[in-house]
Amino acid sequence: VLSSSLPRLVREFVAQNNASQIKHVIQILSQEFALSQHPHSRKGGLIGLAACSIALGKDSGLYLKELIEPVLTCFNDADSRLRYYACEALYNIVKVARGSVLPHFNVLFDGLSKLAADPDPNVKSGSELLDRLLKDIVTESNQFDLVGFIPLLRERIYSNNQYARQFIISWILVLESVPDINLLDYLPEILDGLFQILGDNSKEIRKMCEVALGEFLKEIKKNPSSVKFAEMANILVIHCQAADDLIQLTAMCWMREFIQLAGRVMLPYSSGILTAVLPCLSYDDRKKNIKEVANVCNQSLMKLVIPEDDEMDEAKQSMTLPAEPTSEESVSKPETASIGHTALNQPLSFPCSSERIQVTLNLDGIVQVLDCHLHDTSIGMMTRIAVLKWLYHLYIKTPRKMFRHTDSLFPILLRTLSDESDEVILKDLEVLAEIASSPAGQTEGHGPSDGSDVRPGPVELHVPARAGQLSSSGMKALECSPSTPTMNSYFYKFMINLLKRFSSERKLLETRGAFIIR
């Protein structure tokens, strides 16, 4: 009866333009059949709704909500045969309506994402046919509502089910391939989920995810000016520390590109980046690839620090802040974004062109990370060397700001002289020598806090002649006035501490004394 008289009846109502009768027919099929308590009635209702849709033809678009909802309800039926008939019915409804189903895309996607993980192979097969049809419709249409879809995608991307993950990635690949759909704008919403899927146990899913991430990265390189680098920086920082090698390597490669493409936009995230990158520099040959990319990230980030960073925020701070901000506070507010330094800060909307943005370097967070790594006795030699290179670089580029941290750094720099590696000691001595000879250390308020007498009044900043000699009055004169024409008060502090160290650690004196003094 359904297959013969129903389509004829519906076609008559369409010819008469009798919308109320059409709705009445659909309502009976839904309420009394498709949503019935009896399985046979439900099956009949599903077949009837599909037949009704076919009879409506192009007019089915006017009744899609009423046609689709009862079918989707049957997706949750306990009977796998009913779920299969629901797939078949929806396939026929969507096939007739084509682009008219797009306003209902989210509910269709939601239903399909659940069927993708269905335990019954027939249901899964049916859902795949429907999925392919829907992908064809989205690909050929220019009316896809991406903004409305993103929240659902963001939620579903965190599924742990392999089939659901495969379904999600397949849709991301389809959306990436459509020229009119700009998924890159919404990448910050789904990037974390993509990296999580990259750690899936299935090789096939990992490969699909690699391809999707690779496509995004290609697009980023092509259009860097439209990329929200700052919103994704912390996501990369987290995944650069992943235990999974593929996730870590991929995230590190992205970080390398971000630093090179976005430049100083990445500076507010330096402490987080260093936390992720520095330990990788001591990896052995088993993780050689990660180590090499981490090294490029480290070098590129270092180059972003410029001498202007020593003065850049001074005038701004004196006007807007009553005192120097603490390490927890945000130093700069480019446009409307407030940027902190820690790796755990929430991502922020941030304009992307590095030329348009004045970024203030917040040194506190960086020094905190470097200091922490230097205190960690378990870290490798290459990481310790990199930390010391960073400190040296910062003392060269931003000496005035760095001297605020010198008193807190000095003890660990002295302890590092006992390191097992000659190369580490050499780098350590370079940092100490720069501290002891820097003109910035001769300004008022930057002397060591050990009770030494510091020359009163501001001292003119100039590069001293390195060949100057100690005055003939010797150590007594030094004690009275530690700052000499060639060295600031830290030279005196360093020498006294070194001699004490040699006195208390005879082994250091015997094995490294000559090396250090030389």
Side-chain angles (χ1 to χ4, degrees), residues 364-382:
D364 293 1
I366 296 175
V367 172
Q368 194 179 354
V369 170
L370 297 174
D371 186 41
C372 182
H373 278 79
L374 217 48
H375 274 89
D376 184 356
T377 53
S378 66
I379 63 164
M381 180 187 77
M382 296 311 293

Side-chain angles (χ1 to χ4, degrees), residues 132-143:
R132 279 201 291 275
L133 174 62
L134 205 53
K135 280 171 179 161
D136 288 343
I137 292 168
V138 168
T139 305
E140 69 193 23
S141 168
N142 58 0
Q143 294 178 335

Side-chain angles (χ1 to χ4, degrees), residues 306-321:
I306 53 175
E308 285 76 9
D309 286 317
D310 217 16
E311 288 89 26
M312 196 175 279
D313 63 337
E314 297 294 326
K316 194 190 299 181
Q317 284 182 26
S318 64
M319 285 188 292
T320 59
L321 297 172

Side-chain angles (χ1 to χ4, degrees), residues 105-106 109 144-154 171 175:
F105 178 81
N106 277 17
F109 181 90
F144 182 72
D145 179 14
L146 186 61
V147 178
F149 174 57
I150 288 297
L152 180 61
L153 179 61
R154 187 178 57 222
W171 267 102
L175 294 175

